[in-house]
Amino acid sequence: MSVIDSQTDICFHTWPGDKNKVGAIKPVFANVPARSSYDVVIVGGAIMGAATAWFLADNPDFQGRVLVVERDPSYENTSTMTTTSCMRQQFSTGLNVRISQFAADFVKNLRRHLHGAEYVPDLSIRSFGYMYLADTEEFAETLRASHAVQQQAGAATRLMTPPEIAQEYPFYALDDIVLGSINTVDEGFFDATAVFDALRRASRDRGVEYVSNEVVAMSCNPTGAKVESVTLKSGEIIACGQVVNASGPRADRTARMAGIELPVEPRKRYSWIFKAEKPLEVDLPLTIDPSGLHVRENGGGTYQVGAHFGPDPRVDYDDFTLDHSLWESEAWPIIATRIPQFEAIRLQSTWAGHYAMNTFDHNAIMGPHDLVENFIFLNGFSGHGLQQAPAMGRGTAEWLTYGEYRALDLSAFNYARIPAGNPIMEKAVI
């Protein structure tokens, strides 16, 4: 359901996480670009494309023109809009920890980062934390190793024994648990939609052009070393200096237009919101059960669940079909076993979204292609892209402007590691 606000020329619509809640802002985009040539064409206008566009527009050293092409400006099925809207610092690599630390600062100081724009809200992070529960000594060792990485990066992660967990969170059933890991500093829920809306509006205010269209083809020079133009679904051919692939779970499709194979594919994830007959007395951390299911506080006696079960195959780009049997047969039994107080609950809503899964090493793929030098990757975030968008958008804008990363060295994520066969595995993928 949508309603146009004629004063601001924007459209407010609901999103899957709460069917009764008005939230995301959908600008009314033009369908055809105003020009036939741009310095940067960003393919995909969700959170990664919007973050890159903002940081480019905000950089005084960048003087070029930017076009963002978004195939569906309702964003209904994007990973951005079907997310759990959380951030964490509990990663297994120090660089991913530091990326989330910048995200936390960016969210809490959004108005300052966007230079005091009056439409930017004051935001905070509801820091109920992530609770990883290990039911084997092997998984406990993984948590201990990750804890050492997180501590070195300055995160406030704590390891907890089962009695310690029971003391602070008495609602868990812990008979099978060996160890827990939690961080309640800058780790939890944030208003991701507000951040996305602000980035998009701020970049447009700085001159970035967004169009409702789709890139369907690319043309390279005779040697194949440079993308010279993109072709839109409406027929226009747009010359470009550089192309940014920010097309989420469709990233491999976009890459193939330039003759590039990319190990990113859409993987389906289910989400549910339920209301508890007896809500918990304290906020529920985003709890990662050893089964892989996660459940978190949602507010007002409601809770959000996310999971996949069994094999995890590639799915079609437009496959958001629900398997309604999973709630009764898989999700609810796990929840009620781990938190017995959730035996009496009422399901309120269900939806499916896609991870842009990097099958190579579950980490971001950034920087230029090794042969097609002006084709820039911003892909493969494997479920943690929303919280990484501020740092990754900033880094991509730096690369486009200077040919290097400046604020935070993200070169470990450059595409070059893929043909070289040098993965940097992220173990903390939910």
Side-chain angles (χ1 to χ4, degrees):
M1 180 177 180
S2 302
V3 58
I4 295 292
D5 180 340
S6 60
Q7 295 298 111
T8 57
D9 193 34
I10 56 180
C11 172
F12 298 87
H13 69 281
T14 59
W15 71 79
D18 186 341
K19 294 297 184 183
N20 299 310
K21 186 174 181 180
V22 175
I25 301 175
K26 182 187 109 177
V28 181
F29 296 159
N31 297 115
V32 177
R35 301 177 178 88
S36 60
S37 177
Y38 293 83
D39 297 280
V40 177
V41 173
I42 300 174
V43 185
I47 189 66
M48 287 295 171
T52 302
W54 159 252
F55 281 104
L56 276 174
D58 187 51
N59 188 336
D61 293 332
F62 179 82
Q63 301 296 321
R65 292 171 174 170
V66 180
L67 175 69
V68 179
V69 183
E70 172 52 48
R71 61 183 299 275
D72 179 15
S74 77
Y75 299 99
E76 181 179 3
N77 289 321
T78 62
S79 300
T80 298
M81 296 306 294
T82 57
T83 176
T84 58
S85 296
C86 286
M87 73 167 63
R88 60 186 164 104
Q89 296 181 34
Q90 291 187 73
F91 288 95
S92 64
T93 61
L95 181 53
N96 277 333
V97 178
R98 291 190 290 275
I99 287 167
S100 285
Q101 288 170 336
F102 175 67
D105 175 79
F106 191 82
V107 169
K108 293 189 298 182
N109 297 286
L110 184 63
R111 180 170 290 178
R112 174 174 58 81
H113 282 285
L114 271 57
H115 308 300
E118 61 180 14
Y119 52 78
V120 178
D122 291 319
L123 299 179
S124 61
I125 299 170
R126 189 171 178 182
S127 294
F128 45 62
Y130 278 53
M131 174 68 82
Y132 284 83
L133 296 174
D135 63 345
T136 65
E137 187 57 36
E138 181 181 8
F139 188 16
E141 276 303 308
T142 298
L143 291 182
R144 293 184 186 105
S146 296
H147 174 259
V149 171
Q150 294 152 20
Q151 289 272 295
Q152 186 173 13
T157 311
R158 293 182 293 145
L159 296 177
M160 302 181 73
T161 64
E164 290 170 335
I165 298 171
Q167 179 68 30
E168 292 190 36
Y169 303 100
F171 45 77
Y172 289 124
L174 298 169
D175 289 349
D176 61 332
I177 296 304
V178 176
L179 189 70
S181 177
I182 193 168
N183 170 24
T184 55
V185 178
D186 290 340
E187 187 168 282
F189 173 83
F190 71 105
D191 190 341
T193 306
V195 175
F196 175 39
D197 292 338
L199 285 169
R200 192 173 39 185
R201 183 168 178 181
S203 64
R204 295 180 79 205
D205 285 352
R206 294 289 183 93
V208 172
E209 185 179 347
Y210 283 71
V211 293
S212 175
N213 213 310
E214 184 176 0
V215 174
V216 295
M218 298 182 187
S219 295
C220 293
N221 66 1
T223 65
K226 181 180 180 181
V227 177
E228 294 187 329
S229 66
V230 301
T231 301
L232 303 184
K233 189 174 184 179
S234 53
E236 291 79 15
I237 297 176
I238 307 299
C240 54
Q242 300 185 87
V243 176
V244 178
N245 182 358
S247 45
R250 295 173 179 264
D252 62 331
R253 180 179 181 272
T254 301
R256 281 195 296 273
M257 295 178 195
I260 300 167
E261 291 299 318
L262 184 66
V264 175
E265 58 188 42
R267 300 286 184 88
K268 189 185 290 188
R269 295 293 182 268
Y270 292 93
S271 294
W272 300 267
I273 288 181
F274 68 86
K275 188 172 182 64
E277 181 177 299
K278 295 181 179 179
L280 302 176
E281 292 76 16
V282 298
D283 278 351
L284 175 64
L286 192 149
T287 302
I288 300 95
D289 187 80
S291 66
L293 175 144
H294 56 88
V295 55
R296 69 162 174 86
E297 181 71 34
N298 196 56
T302 66
Y303 301 86
Q304 183 169 331
V305 184
H308 79 92
F309 301 99
D312 190 21
R314 178 194 180 100
V315 297
D316 185 79
Y317 302 119
D318 296 310
D319 179 7
F320 298 95
T321 305
L322 295 173
D323 182 346
H324 292 285
S325 70
L326 291 176
W327 175 252
E328 291 282 350
S329 65
E330 301 281 357
W332 185 26
I334 294 172
I335 297 165
T337 298
R338 183 60 61 199
I339 304 175
Q341 198 166 325
F342 286 163
E343 290 181 355
I345 59 180
R346 183 175 72 254
L347 184 63
Q348 292 188 325
S349 61
T350 308
W351 68 94
H354 289 171
Y355 274 9
M357 186 65 76
N358 170 8
T359 59
F360 181 69
D361 61 9
H362 300 157
N363 262 309
I365 301 171
M366 300 182 67
H369 187 252
D370 55 337
L371 299 177
V372 188
E373 298 174 355
N374 69 333
F375 188 96
I376 309 301
F377 297 94
L378 191 55
N379 307 117
F381 293 93
S382 305
H384 45 268
L386 192 78
Q387 64 184 294
Q388 294 196 328
M392 300 314 203
R394 179 183 64 179
T396 301
E398 291 171 346
W399 186 274
L400 291 165
T401 305
Y402 306 113
E404 64 179 7
Y405 304 111
R406 293 194 168 182
L408 182 62
D409 184 4
L410 302 171
S411 57
F413 294 138
N414 276 4
Y415 173 86
R417 77 183 189 277
I418 294 174
N422 296 323
I424 46 171
M425 295 301 299
E426 175 52 59
K427 297 176 183 178
V429 176
I430 299 174

